[in-house]
Amino acid sequence: HRTGRTARRALPRVRGKEIAQQMLRILAFDIGERRIGVAVSDPLGITAQGIETYTRSDDLNKDVEHLLKIANGYRPVKLVFGMPRNMDGSYGMQAEYTKAFADEVLKGWDGDSAFWDERLTTASARRVLIEADMRRDKRKGVIDKVAAVLILQSYLDAKGNT
């Protein structure tokens, strides 16, 4: 060792692929006929945060393009779509609508995707916002975003990312 210099301990090298594996962002959508709630996980895939409530247009392609633009911005490893189910676990007309819309989004997405049970998320979101003393007119603008957060957090918790 040279005089006047301190010995340096070698730090482990982290390769790009290893960093990419640590970045586990997941994007979730609560698909509705009028609005779509959007949420994203933190880079470690532990917690969900709301991004926006998107008001649907009359143009399916425009709506799909908007969601894909968000996905391209966050670069998630997976897209999760809230899947409406009846209380008995069966799928109804809204589930078919959600699946058809998700299929359109997935045509422009080459990553992983999943559907997740969204039963009671909108009711839970409404209850959270009422407890937060948010006025009805304000709730309308954020309820879908909060529902997307609840869907994504449920997914993350069940998958053991926490």
Side-chain angles (χ1 to χ4, degrees):
H1 111 358
R2 296 182 192 163
T3 320
R5 291 191 174 206
T6 57
R8 289 178 33 185
R9 191 168 20 160
L11 297 174
R13 288 187 59 172
V14 178
R15 292 180 168 58
K17 187 175 182 181
E18 293 168 322
I19 291 172
Q21 289 173 343
Q22 293 172 5
M23 304 298 274
L24 302 175
R25 279 195 193 273
I26 297 172
L27 204 59
F29 303 110
D30 177 38
I31 308 294
E33 292 179 18
R34 290 181 297 239
R35 289 177 297 279
I36 300 171
V38 185
V40 67
S41 72
D42 66 288
L44 299 176
I46 297 171
T47 61
Q49 296 91 32
I51 296 175
E52 71 174 31
T53 296
Y54 171 71
T55 301
R56 303 276 306 265
S57 71
D58 291 331
D59 181 351
L60 174 65
N61 291 330
K62 182 178 177 185
D63 296 342
V64 167
E65 186 177 302
H66 182 78
L67 297 187
L68 289 173
K69 183 178 178 182
I70 293 171
N72 287 331
Y74 282 95
R75 298 171 52 160
V77 296
K78 183 179 282 188
L79 300 182
V80 174
F81 297 88
M83 179 56 74
R85 297 179 85 167
N86 298 322
M87 291 310 293
D88 65 2
S90 65
Y91 297 100
M93 290 295 294
Q94 192 60 34
E96 291 177 29
Y97 174 82
T98 297
K99 178 79 169 84
F101 184 87
D103 287 345
E104 291 300 313
V105 172
L106 293 173
K107 285 179 185 176
W109 172 254
D110 63 356
D112 199 7
S113 64
F115 290 92
W116 195 251
D117 186 354
E118 70 165 36
R119 277 181 284 189
L120 302 177
T121 55
T122 301
S124 295
R126 184 175 293 113
R127 190 170 49 251
V128 166
L129 295 173
I130 289 170
E131 288 173 6
D133 206 24
M134 184 176 279
R135 291 191 344 243
R136 181 179 295 198
D137 58 327
K138 298 278 189 198
R139 286 195 308 260
K140 186 177 179 181
V142 297
I143 193 164
D144 299 287
K145 176 173 65 174
V146 174
V149 168
L150 294 173
I151 290 165
L152 182 53
Q153 193 63 58
S154 170
Y155 179 85
L156 295 171
D157 292 346
K159 295 301 178 184
N161 290 2
T162 57

